Amino acid sequence: MNQITFFPFINIKKIILLFSIIPFVISAQPKVYTIDEAINTAINNNRDITISVMTVKKAGAAVDEAFGYALPSVNLNGNFTRFLEKPKMPFPDFEAMLTNATYSILFDEGVIPRDDNKYKSMGSKLQSFSQTNNFSADVTITQTLFSSAVFKGIGASQIYYDLAKADLYSTVSKTVLSVQKTFYGVLLLKESLEITKASFENAQLNLKDVKAFYKEGIVSEFDLLQAEVIVENIRPVVLNMENNLKSAKDGLKLILGVDQLEDINVQGDFLYQPYDISNEEGLIDEALKSNYDLRTLELKKQVDEAFVELDVSEYWPNIAAFGQYAYNGSSDDWKFNTYSSATIGLGFSINLWQGNRTKNAVEQSTITYQQTEEQVKQLKDYTLLNVKSKIQDLKTVQSIIDVQNKNVELAERAYQIAKVRYKEGVGSQMELQNTDLSLKQARLNRIQSMHLYLTTKFELEQILGKTNPEYFSAFSELEN
């Protein structure tokens, strides 16, 4: 017979407690972002991008609206009125007029003896010619045949749409650059903290060895105290760098648009691939052609030019064809007498003079265009200067990265030699400390140069309009 084994109640409580803790442990894990995940998160959450998307949609609706002015318009009108008191107007007294005409004939024909007293005095009398109930309905179709404002407006709205799209791409590009710089800033602090912690661990291991040597009488108390001071000098540096890293992560969370209470981390490497900057003139030409801000401002200039043409179009006539069908009826007793009518025609209007309003409007829009033209020239000069500056920065940093890689290798070798010398009793505590500081500084110099290289490369690519096209793919459905 099989025996049934019952687990102690305490084991069941442990199992329940374990499963209740697991979700909290899982949720406590920080969200780790790669550079692509960070950029996509920022693009999805960035409010400036959201506003720019709305502007693009609004511009697309404006294009459709502008086309609508060139299409026929159909209007249906109808009304019904009932007079509670009919309107009246003064009119000659028809009764007196008819009576006098009749007597005049009778007198002239000798039918009755003439008696001027039979004539009635002539005057006016309030009379109504309206019926109590009236209705009317009509359908009017109007088609613009010529309107410079309409035709220019269609072109201007399309340019405005292109401007809104270019501004969106510029906003996305700036957001990508901001994320890249902040992300690698966090990564720099993270790597620097790890380097400093490695130096701290070296100092702690050295202190442990010194304590052992001191107990054996190999080293003096001075060496022991010196080793302890080195450890305690590095400890606050580690704490300060941990605080700086936390602040940098908070800044990254702000750019990503995530909750400030969320725990995040970054994952990535400082990869160095030499950037081809040999053709400086080619890079400058590319920047002047593809820079997002320049393209946006060039389109702004085209919009301003279109507005000048719109204002000038007020001098031109407007010609439109129209047709109307009307159906009307009236009655005093709801039995309507109805009739219909149909008309077609052409309408013509032209501005002859409006107090120089059109002239002044053209002058204002022309000045706005000229201002934008100057802004384009200014931005081109600034872009050219920026490209040259970034190229020079890249040349400088690329020239020292390879040297620093070798310098780190030398510093690591020197530190290992110093450790061996100290353990063998031929080296000093000061020698070990100096080689450790040199190693830490060499590592920091290398990682800082890599960070400078990447951020400078990102800035140059943004100036050149070389933001990864994949980051714009989410907005492809906005094409008008």
Side-chain angles (χ1 to χ4, degrees), residues 82 86 131-134 330-337:
R82 176 181 175 82
K86 293 181 180 180
Q131 293 187 297
T132 303
N133 304 307
N134 300 270
S330 60
S331 74
D332 283 324
D333 54 5
W334 303 103
K335 293 181 180 180
F336 288 94
N337 297 315

Side-chain angles (χ1 to χ4, degrees), residues 186-202 234 237-238 241-242 245 249 265-270 436 440 443-444 447:
V186 172
L187 193 60
L188 171 64
L189 288 172
K190 183 180 176 183
E191 295 282 348
S192 299
L193 176 60
E194 290 176 359
I195 292 172
T196 306
K197 281 184 175 179
S199 178
F200 185 55
E201 290 173 2
N202 287 341
I234 300 178
V237 176
V238 172
M241 294 186 73
E242 287 176 341
L245 178 59
K249 287 181 179 180
N265 205 347
V266 297
Q267 180 181 349
D269 297 303
F270 287 99
D436 178 66
K440 182 180 73 170
R443 287 173 174 172
L444 288 174
I447 203 70

Side-chain angles (χ1 to χ4, degrees), residues 71-355:
L71 299 176
S73 64
V74 181
N75 296 307
L76 174 64
N77 300 300
N79 66 74
F80 171 82
T81 58
R82 176 181 175 82
F83 289 115
L84 299 179
E85 183 177 350
K86 293 181 180 180
K88 295 179 180 181
M89 60 181 297
F91 212 80
D93 189 346
F94 287 108
E95 182 180 356
M97 186 182 298
L98 183 58
T99 300
N100 293 342
T102 302
Y103 276 115
S104 178
I105 294 173
L106 292 176
F107 292 154
D108 291 342
E109 295 295 330
V111 176
I112 60 175
R114 179 175 293 276
D115 183 0
D116 291 338
N117 292 326
K118 298 286 186 181
Y119 290 115
K120 294 185 176 182
S121 61
M122 292 293 296
S124 60
K125 183 179 181 181
L126 291 176
Q127 301 185 56
S128 175
F129 297 93
S130 301
Q131 293 187 297
T132 303
N133 304 307
N134 300 270
F135 76 84
S136 66
D138 65 77
V139 176
T140 304
I141 300 177
T142 305
Q143 172 62 59
T144 298
L145 299 180
F146 177 82
S147 175
S148 182
V150 170
F151 302 147
K152 296 295 184 183
I154 293 174
S157 64
Q158 184 60 55
I159 299 173
Y160 178 71
Y161 174 81
D162 295 337
L163 169 62
K165 196 72 181 290
D167 183 65
L168 169 62
Y169 281 10
S170 178
T171 303
V172 171
S173 176
K174 290 174 182 176
T175 301
V176 170
L177 177 61
S178 179
V179 173
Q180 288 173 328
K181 293 173 69 174
T182 308
F183 180 92
Y184 280 99
V186 172
L187 193 60
L188 171 64
L189 288 172
K190 183 180 176 183
E191 295 282 348
S192 299
L193 176 60
E194 290 176 359
I195 292 172
T196 306
K197 281 184 175 179
S199 178
F200 185 55
E201 290 173 2
N202 287 341
Q204 288 178 316
L205 289 173
N206 178 62
L207 176 60
K208 183 178 179 182
D209 291 340
V210 171
K211 285 181 177 179
F213 293 155
Y214 177 73
K215 287 181 180 180
E216 296 177 4
I218 299 175
V219 299
S220 66
E221 184 181 2
F222 175 79
D223 287 338
L224 176 61
L225 295 174
Q226 192 175 33
E228 289 177 346
V229 169
I230 293 173
V231 170
E232 295 308 317
N233 281 342
I234 300 178
R235 192 186 303 276
V237 176
V238 172
L239 294 175
N240 186 50
M241 294 186 73
E242 287 176 341
N243 289 333
N244 291 339
L245 178 59
K246 183 179 181 301
S247 299
K249 287 181 179 180
D250 290 340
L252 180 60
K253 285 187 282 188
L254 185 64
I255 294 175
L256 298 184
V258 299
D259 192 340
Q260 283 291 315
L261 298 178
E262 181 179 348
D263 190 14
I264 68 169
N265 205 347
V266 297
Q267 180 181 349
D269 297 303
F270 287 99
L271 299 178
Y272 172 66
Q273 293 178 340
Y275 197 83
D276 184 12
I277 51 177
S278 57
N279 186 4
E280 183 173 327
E281 291 299 323
L283 293 175
I284 291 174
D285 290 341
E286 186 175 0
L288 295 179
K289 178 182 178 182
S290 303
N291 180 268
Y292 294 106
D293 289 338
L294 262 178
R295 285 160 60 183
T296 301
L297 204 55
E298 288 282 4
L299 286 167
K300 167 68 165 54
K301 187 175 76 170
Q302 293 181 32
V303 170
D304 291 340
E305 185 178 14
F307 284 160
V308 174
E309 295 175 350
L310 273 174
D311 290 331
V312 171
S313 67
E314 292 294 323
Y315 288 117
W316 293 91
N318 296 316
I319 302 174
F322 65 88
Q324 184 183 69
Y325 176 81
Y327 186 70
N328 303 273
S330 60
S331 74
D332 283 324
D333 54 5
W334 303 103
K335 293 181 180 180
F336 288 94
N337 297 315
T338 60
Y339 63 94
S340 62
S341 63
T343 57
I344 59 172
L346 288 174
F348 175 89
S349 65
I350 187 171
N351 166 25
L352 296 180
W353 193 70
Q354 290 182 323

